[in-house]
Each structure stands twice: as structure tokens, then as C-alpha cells.
């Protein structure tokens, strides 16, 4: 990928790990930002709508 990418994951995600976020960010050619959101699980977009 060469377009800007934002990788978001809840820190308490029961299905994913921070290593997955790092791996995704390391394999894109364009600009990338990562966000590991504390206290959130697998569906951070539903668990913290005000972020």
C-alpha cells in the first residue's frame, strides 16, 4: 500500500496482538500511523465512540 494508513487496535483485543499492528505498519510503503488504544478490546470503534 502506498496511501496513508491508520492501524487501530484495542490494547485488550482478545483476537489480536500489538505485534500484528507492528507487522502491518512495517509492510506498507506509504505513511503509516498506529494507535493501540488502552482499555479497549476487539471493537474499539464501538466501545469508545468518543475517541
Amino acid at each position: 500500500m502506498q496511501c496513508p494508513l491508520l492501524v487501530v487496535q484495542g490494547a485488550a483485543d482478545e483476537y489480536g496482538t500489538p505485534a500484528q499492528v507492528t507487522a502491518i505498519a512495517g509492510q506498507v510503503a506509504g505513511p503509516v500511523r498506529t494507535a493501540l488504544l488502552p482499555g479497549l478490546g476487539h471493537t474499539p470503534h464501538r466501545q469508545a465512540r468518543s475517541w
Side-chain angles (χ1 to χ4, degrees), residues 4-34:
L5 182 67
L6 172 62
V7 183
V8 176
Q9 182 170 309
D13 188 338
E14 59 273 27
Y15 301 106
T17 67
Q20 288 175 305
V21 173
T22 302
I24 293 167
Q27 295 180 36
V28 297
V32 62
R33 286 186 62 188
T34 61

Side-chain angles (χ1 to χ4, degrees), residues 1 3 6 11 14-15 17 20 23 27 29-31 35 41 43-47 49 51:
M1 293 185 84
C3 64
L6 172 62
E14 59 273 27
Y15 301 106
T17 67
Q20 288 175 305
Q27 295 180 36
T43 56
H45 60 289
R46 292 184 181 196
Q47 295 169 330
R49 294 178 186 261
W51 270 69

